[in-house]
Each structure stands twice: as C-alpha cells, then as structure tokens.
Amino acid sequence: MPAPPPSLPLPLEVLNTVFGYQSFHPLQGKVIEHVLAGRDALVLMPTGGGKSLCFQVPALCREGLTLVISPLVALMKDQVEALKANGVAAAFLNSTQTAAEAESVNAEIAAGTLKLLYVSPERLFSGSAVRLQDWKVSLVAVDEAHCISFWGHDFRPEYTKLGQLRALLPGVPLIALTATADPAIRRDILAQLTIDEEAVFQESFDRPNLHLAVLPGQKRLERIADFLAKRPGQAGIVYCLSRAGTEDLAASLSKKGHKARAYHAGMNTQDRSAVQEAFLKDDIDIVCATVAFGMGIDKSNVRWVIHYNLPKNLEGFYQEIGRAGRDGLPSDTLLFYSYADVANQLKFLEEANADRRELLAAKLERMKQYAEAQICRRRILLSYFGETPEADCGHCDVCENPPETFDGTVTAQKLLSAVYRTGGRATLRQCALILRGSHALEVTEPGWHDLKTFGAGKELRFEEWMEYGSQVVNAGYLSVAYDKGMSLQLTSLAGPVLKGEKTVALTKFRSFEEKKAATAVKAKTAATSDGDPDLFEVLKVVRKKLADEHEVPAYVIFSDKTLKDMAAKLPRTPAEFRQVHGVGEAKLEHYGSIFLKAIGEWEAGRA
Ligand code: ADP
Ligand code: ZN
C-alpha cells in the first residue's frame, strides 16, 4: 500500500501525536472514517462524549480549512486556545473581536495556514458569501446543531440560514453535532441541512458516572451546606431560576466560607467573564447561576451540579447536569423539587408564544415526572431520548433506596376531607396544619380550627403530611390551582376514595436524613488508578501556575484525568511522559520538563 503524503497524517496518528490519546471511542472512529470518505454526518452524543474530535481530527487529516459553526461565542476562545495548546493552527471570528484581530485572522485564512476556523452564524452571513467560496473549505462542522430546530429548547433563528451552506459550498461534506436527541429535533436537523438518515451516528446518552438524586425543596440552604461539607474544594454549579436567587445564594455560601460567585445575564459582560475565568482557573469553586451560564463552560473537572429550582425541561436539565464529570470521573447531581417551582414555570408558560405553549407544557410535564419518579430516574431520562435501558441503573437515589408502598387509603381520606371542608381554599401546607391541629394564624384566621378534620391527623408529623400530600396530588386525586394561590382542589377521582370504594397506595415516607444516607455517593470507581492524591494536589498547583502564566483555563493545560494518570504512572523520562493520557507532542514539549521536575521532587521528598 502506498504511504500517504507526509502532509496528510492518518486519524490515529493525529489522535496520538496531537491530542495524546491512545484510541478512538468506538463511534468516533466510525464517524471520522465516514467524514474522511467525503460524506455528511449527524452525530448525536451526550455532553462529554467526545464530539469535538469527530471534526477536529478529520480537519487535520485533510487539506484546506474546516469551518466550525458554533453559537457559543464565549466557548470559541477557549476551544481555540485548547487547540493551540496542542499545536493546532486554529482561530475564531465573532462579534467580541476588534477589527484588527479579525483582520489578522482573515490574513491567516487568505494565506491558507489555518486548519480550523470557529465562526458564529451571524458572523458567517454578515460578510460576503463570495469570500466563503475563496476560503478553500474542505469540511463544515455545525456544532450544537439542535439550535436549528424550533422544537429544541435553544432555538436560534440565525441557525436556520445554515441550510444555505449546502448551495454555497457544493460538494463539501458537512458534519452536524448535538447532545440533544429528541426525535423531532433530529428530523428537523436532517431536513434543514439536507443530511441523509443513513448518515446518523447515535451513541447512548447514558452518562453512568453521574449520580442522580432529587430532594424535596424544603430547607434547601441547609441541605446544600451539608452537601458541600462533604465535598470541600470541589468545583460545582448551582442553577437557580432567578437572578436575585443566584446572588442571594452566592452571598449565603460565601458567608459560610465557600468560594462562590453569582452569574446571570443581568451582569455586565466584564463581570460575567471575570466569574467565568475565575471558575475555569479554579480560583473559585462554586458558581450560582441562571441557565445563562454553562454553554461556554468547557471545564472537565466540574464535580457536581445542583438545581436549586426545577428546570423547564429535560433537555436543558440533561445538558446542565452534563457539565459535571466531563472527565468521566464520578460526579453528583441533585435536584430540589417543590410545587412553588412548578407554579413559577407555569407562569413563564403563560408568557410564552401561543404556538409554543402546548409543546412547552408537555416538556415541563416530563420534567415533573423525573422529579417525582418512583422508578429508576435514569430510565426516565434515557427514555426521553428514545432509549430503553435493559436494567435499572443502580446509581440513582431511587435505585439505591427503592420506595416501599403501603395502603394509605385512610391517610388520603383524611387529607381529601380536609380539602373538602375548606371548600378548596386551603393550600397543602394549610391542610397539613389543620390535620395536625395547629393554631397557626393561617389556620385560625379563616376559622378552620372549627372544622371536623381539625387535629384528625396528629399521628403523622407535618413533613409526613407534606410528603403524602404531594403523593396524593401526583396520583391525581387532588389538583393544585396555580391560579388560586396554590389551593388544593378535589378531582373526579377523589369521590370513590372518600366513599371507601377505592384504595390508595402511598410510598413510605423517609426523612431527609434517611434519604441523605441513601444518596451518599457510592462512587462508581473509574477503571484507571488515580495515583497518590497528595501528588495530584501538587500537580494541580503546577497546572494552576502555568494556566495563570499563559492566561488560559487550567484544563487547557491538562485535564484532571491527565494529572491523575500522571500521579499513577509517575513518568521519569519524556518518553514515559508522552504515554500519559492526554499528552501529545506539543504538550510534551511545552510542559513535559516542568511536570517531570515536579514529580521528581515529590518522589525525592518521600524517599
Ligand atoms: P463533547 O463536545 O461531546 O461534550 P468533548 O469533545 O469536549 O465532548 O470531549 C470530552 C472530553 O473527552 C475531552 O476532555 C476530550 O479531550 C476527551 N476525549 C474525547 N475523545 C477521546 C478519546 N478518544 N480518548 C480519550 N479522551 C477523549
Ligand atoms: Zn437508577
């Protein structure tokens, strides 16, 4: 077989010499082969699945320029930085640049020295299309391709122009990539970008390293404090619904001694990028953010993600929790759930476009099902993405502590009669207080202490009534009138229960402490050894120093996984260093001696 020309390396060589990895993930290999054969592809992989290499490797195996369309202006700089650290000629064009910076990128394009160009769709279509044809484009990659679809949670109208690229660049293969695989969105991407159904490469969306858990929304702050106490110094994100929420939480956590900052779209660009940089550089551990945060965050060592409020759909939720554990190491996710959050989301729905409202309501319903699940939560997530796992995951709170049911007919009857006697004017909280026989103002003022059901449920604690009350609502015997101060209403199913014609199964209440014990991370250990944790800390300091010097995020230097592999392999020579996961030739050359020295000193210190 004739050897390929030296300027065009083979994919595996690129993977090894440039990126420092030993082998492709199974689907990556297939996609790359397919794209290098000059064909289009749609790649559906979960966050952290390794989508970038699917176009970055082909870009380096071909002549000409690979155009990467991305909506994430904030991410471009870091992606380009990461490529440059590996010795790849990459650049970006977007609205954040000065005219001079853009000019110098244009000069590189004209000179034909660039291999990868990241560009926002606005920028792409603002220049003259003629220019695009002069760019010697050999591959187009459309990242975050779900933005093209009206059915997606992140629809961007300017993305719908990307179909024009097919006519502007005839014969140039196009690869679209996304971490959202809702069937309607997938069809939409294929249609708009004219990609064949046979060109779809889909990987399981399962992220087994993510632990899934949900807790009721009471005493959130205390629960977060407990959670953090067990995870000192770990990087994490708390997603909140409102801007004020992010600021309050960041302030509370800071007061407790955590390195936390708020991030939301109401802050100015400068403050926002300062928070983002600080997080990327490990200067702060926690970001309390609205969903505005994270699209641009390509940080591999985020160890946990908490949702302080219920998100509006599973796509967004999955993408947000997917920001944890991109390095494949065990990571935690925690969602707080309350009716107040549902009410808030419903309020947003009312403000939505009439033609989208039904769709959004259906999506919110799926989100609620996840939060209220009595079966393996991963099943619910994966089924949303069209997958049917064979077995329960064993790595979510429901699997770890399967619910026990009992005949709760009497309990349900008591609650239903309290609702009946208050004439549908009481909230769940008020009903619980009535049943407990409380003389709180919110009970006595409406005169409910005179009701027959007053004090009829003293055998259960207040929190037990709250929990069973939600279950009775979820089972459909009661509805919550979101438009009437969240008061409870009997449904048509309630009658037979009150008359004793129907029994109600409830799930045994578990206190927060019991749930917490069950949720305690049973870390699924990674297959590889992590090496000495002290050395890992030493190497992190070295990395931090280099990152500050080069003004790049820490992960651009090396991922946590690389540092752990280094601590495990204890390389002594450049050749050994090159064997470490994630060390390619450029990184060996730039950082090899510095890390080898640190490892040598650490070993000497122990001898
Ligand atoms: P995605 O874009 O799908 O969220 P990335 O492309 O950012 O994921 O990849 C996630 C992480 O996995 C990155 O740190 C990347 O370098 C690493 N990675 C990707 N492919 C491989 C591979 N074949 N071997 C080892 N690590 C890989
Ligand atoms: Zn499970």
Side-chain angles (χ1 to χ4, degrees):
M1 205 168 60
S7 59
L8 292 178
L10 295 169
L12 205 56
E13 286 169 17
V14 171
L15 183 73
N16 191 251
T17 57
V18 178
F19 297 97
Y21 300 138
Q22 294 306 312
S23 57
F24 286 111
H25 300 329
L27 201 63
Q28 278 177 336
K30 283 190 201 142
V31 172
I32 290 168
E33 196 180 317
H34 183 89
V35 169
L36 283 175
R39 293 153 74 186
D40 301 333
L42 169 58
V43 179
L44 307 160
M45 273 185 200
T47 310
K51 284 184 287 298
S52 318
L53 288 186
C54 292
F55 57 85
Q56 289 171 348
V57 169
L60 300 179
C61 296
R62 282 179 154 249
E63 285 189 75
L65 180 69
T66 290
L67 206 58
V68 185
I69 320 293
S70 167
L72 310 174
V73 172
L75 187 59
M76 282 182 194
K77 181 165 164 278
D78 290 339
Q79 285 184 324
V80 165
E81 213 82 71
L83 282 168
K84 284 182 171 168
N86 279 324
V88 176
F92 64 89
L93 279 178
N94 66 38
S95 54
T96 66
Q97 276 164 321
T98 63
E101 283 167 340
E103 222 21 74
S104 103
V105 173
N106 280 322
E108 283 182 82
I109 299 170
T113 51
L114 218 49
K115 292 307 294 177
L116 284 124
L117 177 70
Y118 284 72
V119 59
S120 61
E122 296 84 350
R123 190 60 194 236
L124 186 66
F125 292 109
S126 71
S128 67
V130 186
R131 176 148 352 114
L132 193 55
Q133 277 139 345
D134 294 340
W135 278 359
K136 298 209 184 70
V137 177
S138 57
L139 176 64
V140 176
V142 178
D143 209 359
E144 313 289 346
H146 58 274
C147 292
I148 210 169
S149 176
F150 180 77
W151 308 112
H153 63 293
D154 196 23
F155 175 52
R156 310 219 174 185
E158 66 274 19
Y159 248 63
T160 57
K161 288 194 196 150
L162 292 175
Q164 295 173 22
L165 284 174
R166 304 322 302 261
L168 289 170
L169 297 168
V172 174
L174 184 148
I175 172 173
L177 311 102
T178 174
T180 292
D182 182 294
I185 298 171
R186 167 190 155 142
R187 282 193 294 274
D188 211 5
I189 297 172
L190 293 178
Q192 290 198 46
L193 294 176
T194 51
I195 300 174
D196 286 343
E197 180 67 43
E198 298 85 79
V200 177
F201 293 83
Q202 178 156 9
E203 185 167 82
S204 167
F205 272 63
D206 195 7
R207 294 277 312 278
N209 62 319
L210 297 185
H211 182 268
L212 308 172
V214 178
L215 284 176
Q218 288 99 39
K219 300 192 188 139
R220 294 176 212 215
L221 201 56
E222 274 171 48
R223 288 164 187 194
I224 291 177
D226 274 352
F227 181 94
L228 295 180
K230 289 202 213 85
R231 296 165 178 80
Q234 289 189 5
I237 306 171
V238 189
Y239 283 103
C240 306
L241 205 56
S242 70
R243 294 174 182 183
T246 66
E247 286 175 359
D248 292 348
L249 185 62
S252 309
L253 294 179
S254 299
K255 226 181 276 165
K256 289 188 197 297
H258 296 288
K259 290 193 259 175
R261 297 279 298 276
Y263 183 107
H264 56 74
M267 291 159 55
N268 67 41
T269 321
Q270 215 177 348
D271 290 347
R272 269 188 316 191
S273 47
V275 172
Q276 184 166 320
E277 291 281 288
F279 188 56
L280 291 177
K281 291 185 178 169
D282 295 341
D283 286 339
I284 56 172
D285 298 323
I286 302 169
V287 180
C288 305
T290 60
V291 292
F293 181 77
M295 274 295 234
I297 305 307
D298 192 358
K299 181 178 162 82
S300 65
N301 65 335
V302 176
R303 287 276 70 86
W304 54 263
V305 169
I306 294 178
H307 282 82
Y308 198 87
N309 305 100
L310 187 77
K312 50 178 175 293
N313 57 53
L314 280 175
E315 291 154 78
F317 174 70
Y318 203 57
Q319 209 155 58
E320 283 142 27
I321 63 172
R323 294 189 180 119
R326 291 175 68 133
D327 51 13
L329 301 176
S331 305
D332 289 301
T333 75
L334 177 59
L335 164 68
F336 287 108
Y337 177 56
S338 76
Y339 279 129
D341 288 342
V342 176
N344 267 321
Q345 290 292 6
L346 287 170
K347 225 180 286 157
F348 290 143
L349 273 188
E350 278 164 25
E351 292 156 17
N353 259 339
D355 58 342
R356 276 180 80 75
R357 209 172 291 150
E358 205 177 325
L359 172 77
L360 298 177
K363 290 190 179 213
L364 177 60
E365 189 52 39
R366 299 294 292 270
M367 188 67 234
K368 272 173 66 190
Q369 284 167 10
Y370 174 85
E372 293 167 357
Q374 302 286 343
I375 60 161
C376 173
R377 289 194 210 276
R378 203 171 309 262
R379 271 190 188 282
I380 296 179
L381 274 183
L382 293 178
S383 77
Y384 184 79
F385 294 116
E387 291 178 39
T388 43
E390 306 228 315
D392 288 349
C393 78
H395 198 46
C396 71
D397 54 351
V398 181
C399 282
E400 285 162 349
N401 206 357
E404 246 179 84
T405 55
F406 66 97
D407 181 352
T409 310
V410 174
T411 303
Q413 282 170 336
K414 286 183 182 178
L415 177 63
L416 294 178
S417 75
V419 172
Y420 174 70
R421 287 172 202 282
T422 56
R425 288 182 296 131
T427 61
L428 174 56
R429 180 187 154 78
Q430 287 168 324
C431 287
L433 290 172
I434 293 169
L435 288 162
R436 292 272 312 139
S438 155
H439 282 92
L441 213 56
E442 51 191 306
V443 172
T444 52
E445 224 167 41
W448 290 333
H449 54 292
D450 290 334
L451 295 180
K452 213 174 150 195
T453 34
F454 184 76
K458 284 192 177 146
E459 74 281 7
L460 296 179
R461 283 174 288 152
F462 174 74
E463 44 178 354
E464 287 175 300
W465 275 116
M466 292 297 285
E467 164 82 21
Y468 292 137
S470 331
Q471 290 187 27
V472 173
V473 172
N474 293 340
Y477 301 108
L478 287 171
S479 66
V480 180
Y482 295 105
D483 53 344
K484 291 184 200 150
M486 311 268 282
S487 57
L488 296 179
Q489 313 289 320
L490 298 179
T491 70
S492 58
L493 297 181
V497 176
L498 280 168
K499 287 184 216 141
E501 293 163 10
K502 196 176 178 308
T503 58
V504 177
L506 292 177
T507 302
K508 211 164 147 196
F509 175 81
R510 278 173 297 176
S511 70
F512 172 61
E513 278 63 36
E514 290 169 291
K515 279 192 186 168
K516 201 168 64 176
T519 314
V521 207
K522 294 175 189 164
K524 273 196 175 171
T525 38
T528 52
S529 150
D530 287 350
D532 189 300
D534 291 340
L535 177 55
F536 175 63
E537 292 305 319
V538 170
L539 296 175
K540 263 167 83 173
V541 173
V542 175
R543 175 178 68 181
K544 173 92 179 74
K545 193 159 164 278
L546 280 171
D548 289 347
E549 265 169 41
H550 294 264
E551 293 183 13
V552 294
Y555 73 81
V556 167
I557 307 287
F558 282 130
S559 69
D560 278 10
K561 200 163 172 177
T562 296
L563 296 191
K564 285 186 177 164
D565 198 37
M566 225 179 265
K569 290 199 172 116
L570 297 174
R572 291 190 172 81
T573 63
E576 283 174 11
F577 194 75
R578 180 69 177 72
Q579 294 310 307
V580 172
H581 176 93
V583 177
E585 265 154 24
K587 289 193 177 172
L588 169 65
E589 191 185 322
H590 292 130
Y591 314 129
S593 59
I594 299 166
F595 281 92
L596 283 170
K597 184 159 164 269
I599 294 168
E601 283 168 5
W602 182 79
E603 286 197 289
R606 282 206 316 170

